[in-house]
Amino acid sequence: MSTSKRTSLELFRLKKTLDTLARKEGRGTELVSLYVPPGKQISEVMNMLRDEYGTASNIKSTTTRKNVQDAIVKVQQRLKLFKETPENGLVIFCGAIPQNGAGSERIETYVIIPPEPIHIYLYRCDSRFHTEHLQELLREKETYGILLIDASAATLATLQGRRLEIVRQISSGVPGKTRAGGQSARRYERLREMRLQEYFRRLGEHANETFLTIENLKGLIIAGPGPTKFDFEKGDYLNYMLKEKVIDVIDTAYVDEQGVKEVVDKAPEIMRKIRYIEEKQVMQQFLYEIGHDTGMATYGEEEVRRALEAGAVRTLLLSEGIDIVRVKVKCNACGYEEQETMKNQMLTNFEQSLSGKPCPKCKAPSLAIAETQELIENFAQMAEYTNTEVEIISGETEEGQMLKNSFGGIAAILRFNLQRK
Ligand SMILES: [Zn+2]
């Protein structure tokens, strides 16, 4: 459980870094992306880079040539720090990024150790960083089960990231709705019903066998044309543990591979929905504690900070959208320090307001920003020290909006009541 909770923070961090990197643009084709999969020899990659350095000497533009070659050298330097490729592989982004208009380029280097093994060996020099392979990886963690059913046949499949596997296809053996001439309608209906029950039971057993053994099954999607899928889902055919994992019952036109593809097309939407359900659940728990005044929840920057420092927070809830920074101001004359919290866009104004302002301690006009940290990161770090679960809550649900708008984007479910000592 706690690993999956941690994940929301880890993924959030990586996602954020990748979003930032994806937005960066080079002046020309001069940004280097390097993916090294596990098992690849560093020496082999170094040789490849040496060749690329040579090839780059043919670039006509002096600036581009210099920037590309500089980037390659930087990548080589970083790579040299690794004796061998880490077990999940290694990704390096490096290149000259304009800081403030043309001519202000500075080489930026990012080394990322992926949270999961990467399976791609790639060197690209482009006007942007190729972050998409890592972004894909973020989506590839969880496995979903897919069960397609109608009265004639069923298909069981698994979906991990984009890897789709058809595990089993069975036919129902249930006769069609129209009977052959000469049979009694009642008798025929009874026979059909019996066959259908038998088919549901058989399918249930196959589904239990297939899906219950999957370690990280995130959810089960039931699909198919017509109402049969609902009858199957409502009945007692699936193991209760599997039943709890049913996240959606959706319509498809087909019940075979074609139907599986239909589900996969809708999968991103379904997966987002699951995350929203999780977010709603944790938010509703928070709202319950607040609503019933149990003393087991708190919110607001200062209150939550205090609770975290007391080691009292079980689950920390942070709005994805809070754009607030924590700023450390330091006096360069006497070493006096203070912390301030403000909206990101206020930062420039605040910095300007410091110039000439006397230090509260020594009165020298020597105050300056020593450090800035995003509030989310600041809280996430405190949470890590106290082994607190962190949930990054999107603004996509009503509850998520409420967290952001009514509770300042920061809330906590507590381990113990802080007031009642
Ligand atoms: Zn001072």
Side-chain angles (χ1 to χ4, degrees), residues 130 223 322:
H130 284 256
I322 46 172

Side-chain angles (χ1 to χ4, degrees), residues 330-336 358-364 366-367:
K330 201 174 170 182
C331 170
N332 290 323
C334 73
Y336 166 84
C359 161
K361 199 177 159 197
C362 73
K363 308 288 180 234
S366 309
L367 294 175

